[in-house]
Amino acid sequence: MKRCYDCIYFYVHPVYSNMGLCKVNNKIVDKDFYCESFKEINPDDLFKVLKERGWVYCSDCKKPIFDEEELKKHLSLNHHVTVSFLKDTVAKEESPGAF
């Protein structure tokens, strides 16, 4: 089933995993929608991004992955791993401990 959550262009929100940023359309979308630009994430894409940028993101664990062995472990556990996450630039404003 196609859905944004499984698309390489979807950057999941680190707290609210039911939404994220569509990098193609540059807008916030629900994880269950999809558009004509849908491209399913595959392990080869993840290993390529890991090698090029140095990290990918596990939305199940809510943490970055920095090496191939760790990525293999997350994939073997059927975790949702994506190329990035939505960076929330105002989160510090919402946190009472940020001041």
Side-chain angles (χ1 to χ4, degrees):
M1 175 175 100
K2 290 182 180 180
R3 61 186 185 152
C4 289
Y5 195 65
D6 300 317
C7 179
I8 195 160
Y9 305 117
F10 180 76
Y11 289 14
V12 67
H13 191 283
V15 176
Y16 307 108
S17 59
N18 62 317
M19 65 183 205
L21 175 68
C22 172
K23 289 299 284 186
V24 171
N25 296 311
N26 197 30
K27 67 179 184 178
I28 302 297
V29 295
D30 183 276
K31 74 175 186 176
D32 292 326
F33 292 118
Y34 74 94
C35 69
E36 65 282 346
S37 299
F38 176 85
K39 180 183 176 203
E40 188 168 7
I41 299 171
N42 68 54
D44 291 338
D45 293 328
L46 295 171
F47 284 104
K48 181 181 175 189
V49 171
L50 179 64
K51 183 176 266 187
E52 290 173 358
R53 190 181 56 213
W55 65 275
V56 290
Y57 183 75
C58 178
S59 63
D60 289 321
C61 297
K62 302 197 183 312
K63 69 176 200 163
I65 298 169
F66 297 105
D67 67 59
E68 286 190 12
E69 289 306 312
E70 188 178 2
L71 176 55
K72 288 177 187 175
K73 178 182 170 190
H74 285 264
L75 294 174
S76 73
L77 294 170
N78 257 354
H79 284 191
H80 181 262
V81 179
T82 187
V83 296
S84 192
F85 61 92
L86 175 61
K87 296 170 183 101
D88 190 347
T89 58
V90 297
K92 66 178 186 239
E93 304 292 331
E94 298 170 347
S95 173
F99 300 101

